[in-house]
């Protein structure tokens, strides 16, 4: 008699890959993970510098288990992108904000309809999510920042070393045609323009983008969206002072902050990248906050 085979539970989420074409023709794939049942929220997620979107699938799956659909953006030049930075192929924040993100968000709208959309990200991804929200505040329900903050050199304990990197990185990128991040152990192989914009914000503490006549500091000061900040306790790349500098740019935002330690991450170190291996605590806090913020907005709308 054949022994019964153990049943295999069906996954609680469904995944898809959406082809994306930016306005200038650059192509990439957008990964989406959604609950099989009711969707309580939609989060459009921007990775850290040099990190392929697929590395956030554990986070997306954990969020889907709590009812949140997630779209994982792919940065130009990384992972599934058909672009690679080089001497004859360059881009900056302008292309990321004006070409790539609108194309990805358009595909998400087509996939999920009118479901309210939240912007979130990790490290530089969270910063760019904030800049994009400042350009389109009425299109999004709120912002999620994980292991992030302003790169301003004065807000770090290793300030002089970090400040020096903001001088040397653009020089190296110009000499090589791109920043060889894989070789030097920082980020991916990054475009000269991206490094120039990033280093400028690190040196000055202010956001600006080459060839974009936008006063981001003024736009950020006008943001009133709800905002969740999750800081990793032992994250030297995203210390408390760095996050505080970024949040101070948005005095009108309704902020909620949490600090996560190893005890919250199943013993995983609470640093800039290790939390990605144990994302459940992040997913729980994000899903809970999204639901709470949405309920507050609904009550405010009903009262007005």
């Amino acid at each position: 008699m054949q022994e019964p085979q153990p049943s295999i539970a069906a996954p609680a989420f469904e995944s898809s890959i959406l082809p994306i074409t930016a306005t200038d023709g650059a192509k990439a794939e957008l990964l989406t993970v959604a609950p099989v049942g009711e969707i309580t929220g939609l989060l459009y997620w921007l990775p850290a510098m040099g990190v392929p979107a697929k590395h956030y699938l554990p986070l997306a799956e954990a969020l889907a288990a709590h009812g949140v659909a997630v779209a994982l953006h792919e940065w130009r030049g990384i992972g599934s992108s058909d672009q690679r930075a080089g001497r004859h192929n360059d881009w900056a924040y302008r292309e990321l904000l004006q070409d790539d993100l609108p194309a990805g968000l358009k595909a998400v709208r087509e996939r999920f309809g009118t479901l309210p959309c939240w912007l979130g990200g990790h490290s530089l991804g969270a910063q760019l999510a904030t800049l994009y929200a400042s350009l389109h505040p009425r299109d999004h329900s709120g912002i999620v920042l994980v292991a992030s903050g302003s790169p301003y050199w004065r807000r770090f304990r290793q300030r002089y070393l970090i400040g020096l990197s903001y001088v040397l990185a653009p020089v190296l990128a110009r000499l090589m045609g791109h920043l060889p991040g894989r070789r030097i152990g920082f980020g991916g192989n990054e475009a000269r323009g991206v490094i120039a914009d990033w280093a400028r914000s690190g040196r000055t503490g202010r956001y600006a983008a080459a060839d974009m006549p936008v006063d981001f500091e003024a736009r950020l000061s006008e943001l009133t969206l709800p905002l969740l900040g999750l800081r990793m306790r032992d994250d030297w790349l995203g210390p408390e002072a760095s996050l505080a500098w970024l949040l101070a740019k948005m005095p009108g935002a309704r902020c909620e902050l949490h600090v996560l330690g190893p005890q919250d991450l199943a013993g995983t170190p609470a640093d800039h990248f290790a939390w990605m291996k144990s994302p459940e605590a992040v997913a729980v806090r994000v899903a809970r906050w999204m639901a709470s913020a949405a309920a507050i907005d609904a009550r405010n709308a009903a009262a007005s």
Side-chain angles (χ1 to χ4, degrees):
M1 181 177 177
Q2 187 177 7
E3 295 184 3
Q5 297 297 313
S7 60
I8 300 176
F13 55 85
E14 53 185 7
S15 304
S16 63
I17 300 175
L18 305 180
I20 305 298
T21 302
T23 53
D24 65 353
K27 299 180 185 299
E29 293 178 344
L30 185 74
L31 306 180
T32 71
V33 180
V36 171
E38 180 186 3
I39 299 177
T40 59
L42 169 63
L43 178 64
Y44 193 94
W45 184 261
L46 310 185
M49 180 188 290
V51 181
K54 65 182 180 181
H55 289 200
Y56 295 92
L57 282 171
L59 172 64
E61 292 167 3
L63 280 163
H66 294 281
V68 178
V70 182
L72 300 175
H73 185 77
E74 188 80 274
W75 286 127
R76 185 176 295 224
I78 304 297
S80 65
S81 169
D82 70 347
Q83 304 293 305
R84 289 296 180 265
R87 196 169 302 280
H88 304 292
N89 195 20
D90 189 30
W91 57 85
Y93 282 11
R94 181 180 66 82
E95 286 81 1
L96 304 183
L97 293 169
Q98 291 188 343
D99 296 335
D100 297 353
L101 279 170
L105 285 160
K106 180 176 181 292
V108 164
R109 290 299 186 193
E110 293 172 352
R111 166 68 174 82
F112 293 101
T114 59
L115 195 67
C117 182
W118 305 70
L119 286 176
H122 174 204
S123 193
L124 179 61
Q127 297 174 57
L128 290 175
T130 302
L131 296 185
Y132 192 82
S134 77
L135 296 174
H136 309 279
R138 296 182 179 181
D139 295 343
H140 305 100
S141 299
I143 307 169
V144 177
L145 311 179
V146 177
S148 188
S150 165
Y152 188 31
W153 70 279
R154 292 182 181 275
R155 312 305 288 180
F156 293 83
R157 290 183 180 177
Q158 305 83 353
R159 63 186 65 181
Y160 295 109
L161 177 62
I162 289 177
L164 181 62
S165 73
Y166 295 140
V167 175
L168 296 180
V171 174
L172 178 60
R174 288 195 298 270
L175 289 174
M176 300 290 293
H178 69 285
L179 184 74
R182 298 296 182 208
R183 192 181 308 174
I184 66 176
F186 177 80
N189 294 330
E190 306 294 341
R192 300 187 304 279
V194 169
I195 294 303
D197 283 340
W198 166 77
R200 184 190 309 107
S201 64
R203 293 191 304 268
T204 66
R206 297 176 61 85
Y207 287 106
D211 299 321
M212 285 187 72
V214 176
D215 185 343
F216 280 109
E217 297 295 316
R219 294 292 185 97
L220 290 170
S221 71
E222 297 168 355
L223 267 182
T224 58
L225 293 172
L227 186 150
L228 173 67
L230 299 180
R231 185 172 66 83
M232 302 301 145
R233 190 194 70 185
D234 305 315
D235 182 7
W236 72 272
L237 286 170
E240 180 180 4
S242 167
L243 178 58
W245 187 266
L246 176 57
L247 296 179
K249 297 178 183 292
M250 300 173 281
R254 190 172 74 235
C255 295
E256 181 176 321
L257 304 178
H258 297 270
V259 179
L260 278 65
Q263 70 278 7
D264 302 304
L265 302 169
T268 300
D271 63 26
H272 201 62
F273 292 109
W275 68 268
M276 296 166 62
K277 301 175 183 177
S278 300
E280 176 62 22
V282 171
V284 168
R285 285 164 176 78
V286 171
R288 186 181 299 156
W289 173 80
M290 287 174 62
S292 175
I296 291 173
D297 287 342
R299 288 197 300 269
N300 291 341
S304 61

